[in-house]
Amino acid sequence: MKSPLFDAHDHLQDYPSKAESAEALRLAAEAGVELMLCNGTSPGDWEQVLDLAAEHKGVVPCFGLHPWFLRESPPGWLEGLESFLVRVPSCVGEIGLDGGKNATGLARQEGVFAVQLRLAKRLGRPACLHCVKAWGRMLEIIKEEKPGPFMLHSYGGPAEMVAEFASLGAYFSFSGAILDAKREKLRRSLSAVPAERLLFETEAPDADAPGWRAGPAGIVEVVSAAAVILGRPAEEIAALSWANGNKFVGDIRTLKNGNP
Ligand SMILES: [Zn+2]
């Protein structure tokens, strides 16, 4: 593809070693991936995310407390989070709600989520959101908190909710799951997203779709699959997601050392 590529969501710190993440990034660069959002999930990995972004141009760090890891949040985690955010231009994420079986009570999740959305808004940072089986509450909290730009990563909500989320400023990111022809509901959601809010991601190092290259280089296959579903040339979808990704990251690039 001629257009540079944008990977809207990955976790490079989860590679078993630095050598492996470096190799994945080398392959990604070869495939034309020039920008990606590397998401931290708990205080235990923020330092690694910071290092990866410092070592690799094009890796934008994101710091947040993911709903799966609420038990790993020591007292003072929120102040810790802010101190990472103000050190470098960065986004808030991965944060959100998870109504699935591994998560702690939703009430606690909602408090932790809302407080991080407020921090993102106060610092003028885009937010990368996780949501599983909690779409109604997600919508209510977004309406209450009115954050700045936010992305619903690996969007799995109904197609019918896309327009309302979009009106509140949402970007929607789709993963390699769209490669699965059986995921009709997901493919309908993809088609419902306004062109200017469309993003794609790999969730690297995970790669759970057949035919999907592991690592951020796999964004090539995700974009190609989306192009087929949308009936557009792959080049056009690649250019669109590159433009949207840059718009999403947008303002934080004008920050100096993370400070406004
Ligand atoms: Zn993730």
Side-chain angles (χ1 to χ4, degrees), residues 100-121:
K101 57 180 171 8
N102 292 322
T104 30
L106 262 182
R108 166 121 200 268
Q109 285 188 31
E110 288 178 9
V112 167
F113 174 48
V115 83
Q116 293 181 94
L117 273 186
R118 272 172 235 148
L119 180 61
K121 192 175 174 178

Side-chain angles (χ1 to χ4, degrees), residues 17-28:
S17 69
K18 276 209 161 183
E20 280 157 278
S21 56
E23 174 62 7
L25 282 163
R26 192 188 64 76
L27 293 169

Side-chain angles (χ1 to χ4, degrees), residues 9 11 66 94 153 203:
H9 188 95
H11 299 279
H66 189 291
E94 173 174 3
H153 113 79
E203 187 92 276

Side-chain angles (χ1 to χ4, degrees), residues 24-258:
L25 282 163
R26 192 188 64 76
L27 293 169
E30 222 169 72
V33 187
E34 291 187 14
L35 193 65
M36 65 186 74
L37 299 178
C38 177
N39 282 251
T41 56
S42 73
D45 69 7
W46 296 340
E47 197 74 50
Q48 279 171 282
V49 170
L50 186 72
D51 286 352
L52 280 157
E55 287 160 17
H56 301 277
K57 188 174 153 275
V59 174
V60 176
C62 313
F63 306 106
L65 180 57
H66 189 291
W68 292 353
F69 303 109
L70 299 197
R71 285 192 196 88
E72 295 169 30
S73 54
W77 68 269
L78 187 61
E79 293 72 21
L81 175 58
E82 181 163 352
S83 76
F84 272 90
L85 288 165
V86 299
R87 272 161 83 177
V88 284
S90 49
C91 302
V92 172
E94 173 174 3
I95 65 173
L97 302 176
D98 197 311
K101 57 180 171 8
N102 292 322
T104 30
L106 262 182
R108 166 121 200 268
Q109 285 188 31
E110 288 178 9
V112 167
F113 174 48
V115 83
Q116 293 181 94
L117 273 186
R118 272 172 235 148
L119 180 61
K121 192 175 174 178
R122 177 160 61 80
L123 298 177
R125 307 305 173 87
C128 306
L129 312 188
H130 167 107
C131 186
V132 172
K133 294 185 176 156
W135 292 100
R137 282 303 289 145
M138 175 59 77
L139 183 62
E140 284 168 16
I141 293 172
I142 295 290
K143 281 180 170 171
E144 278 162 29
E145 300 297 336
K146 301 181 180 62
F150 65 97
M151 166 200 316
L152 294 164
H153 113 79
S154 197
Y155 184 70
E160 292 72 21
M161 288 181 90
V162 165
E164 191 163 16
F165 274 121
S167 74
L168 296 164
Y171 286 73
F172 302 79
S173 174
F174 291 86
S175 75
I178 57 167
L179 287 152
D180 184 348
K182 293 193 291 283
R183 301 287 301 271
E184 261 177 56
K185 195 186 132 203
L186 184 65
R187 290 172 161 221
R188 256 197 300 129
S189 296
L190 168 67
S191 303
V193 171
E196 72 279 8
R197 301 297 178 79
L198 203 48
L199 297 171
F200 301 99
E201 66 181 62
T202 64
E203 187 92 276
D206 291 347
D208 54 6
W212 177 12
R213 224 183 312 181
I219 203 70
V220 174
E221 281 74 38
V222 181
V223 166
S224 302
V228 171
I229 296 163
L230 297 170
R232 309 298 310 170
E235 190 58 48
E236 180 185 315
I237 299 302
L240 181 68
S241 76
W242 173 252
N244 291 346
N246 278 277
K247 200 152 40 106
F248 181 79
V249 174
D251 292 346
I252 67 163
R253 287 181 172 159
T254 61
L255 302 175
K256 250 204 186 127
N257 303 321

